[in-house]
Amino acid sequence: MVTFALDADKGRYTVETCEPGFTRVPRELIVEDRRFNDDINANLILRGTETEKKTGGRSVKFFTGLLPTTQTGVFLGNVLTFGRNGERIRNGVLLRFSTDAGRMTLRYFPAYYPYPDGRAAFVSAVLDRGLL
């Protein structure tokens, strides 16, 4: 689990606490409204600051749409990574904002993202166990 605090001057969340050795999530994250790309089925975007070159431009290395859940301030997303032989891997991200959005807590689930019909139960199980 990683906790972030909002740096209002930069407009970014920066890491406050993190489990030792955990490097799957960038140390600075930006939450913003989706402004383009209608293929993303979310109104909020969570992204890192680091980009990489690709054919025709640049891409953001850490990126997901945030889907609201039935729990206030809790959102679900998935980050795409690539495994051996270019295999696409969807990694689940569950996060909770404080009531003033000044803090964000994030839990990363490597190689696991629930199917749509199992998402509500997944979110409830994580919250009931106190994992977020």
Side-chain angles (χ1 to χ4, degrees), residues 92-123:
V93 175
L94 190 61
L95 57 92
R96 173 183 275 166
F97 291 99
S98 62
T99 53
D100 66 354
R103 296 176 57 84
M104 177 176 68
T105 306
L106 182 144
R107 175 73 66 176
Y108 186 89
F109 299 90
Y112 179 74
Y113 184 65
Y115 289 108
D117 61 348
R119 291 179 187 160
F122 170 72
V123 170

Side-chain angles (χ1 to χ4, degrees), residues 69-71 74 94 96 107 109 119-132:
T69 66
T70 58
Q71 304 291 323
V74 177
L94 190 61
R96 173 183 275 166
R107 175 73 66 176
F109 299 90
R119 291 179 187 160
F122 170 72
V123 170
S124 291
V126 170
L127 295 176
D128 290 348
R129 293 179 185 166
L131 298 174
L132 183 67

Side-chain angles (χ1 to χ4, degrees), residues 66-94:
L66 295 177
L67 299 172
T69 66
T70 58
Q71 304 291 323
T72 303
V74 177
F75 293 82
L76 180 66
N78 69 85
V79 175
L80 185 65
T81 57
F82 296 93
R84 294 183 181 162
N85 302 320
E87 172 191 6
R88 294 167 53 118
I89 301 169
R90 295 176 77 182
N91 305 283
V93 175
L94 190 61

Side-chain angles (χ1 to χ4, degrees), residues 29-102:
L29 292 173
I30 298 169
V31 177
E32 61 189 10
D33 291 329
R34 178 182 56 87
R35 290 177 256 164
F36 57 91
N37 195 345
D38 292 334
D39 293 337
I40 299 170
N41 188 25
N43 292 326
L44 284 178
I45 300 296
L46 177 70
R47 68 176 181 86
T49 58
E50 192 175 339
T51 61
E52 59 189 0
K53 287 184 180 181
K54 72 173 197 175
T55 305
R58 300 188 75 72
S59 68
V60 178
K61 290 178 83 172
F62 185 92
F63 179 90
T64 183
L66 295 177
L67 299 172
T69 66
T70 58
Q71 304 291 323
T72 303
V74 177
F75 293 82
L76 180 66
N78 69 85
V79 175
L80 185 65
T81 57
F82 296 93
R84 294 183 181 162
N85 302 320
E87 172 191 6
R88 294 167 53 118
I89 301 169
R90 295 176 77 182
N91 305 283
V93 175
L94 190 61
L95 57 92
R96 173 183 275 166
F97 291 99
S98 62
T99 53
D100 66 354

Side-chain angles (χ1 to χ4, degrees), residues 18-30:
C18 181
E19 296 170 4
F22 182 72
T23 60
R24 299 274 181 124
V25 176
R27 298 303 173 235
E28 289 188 331
L29 292 173
I30 298 169

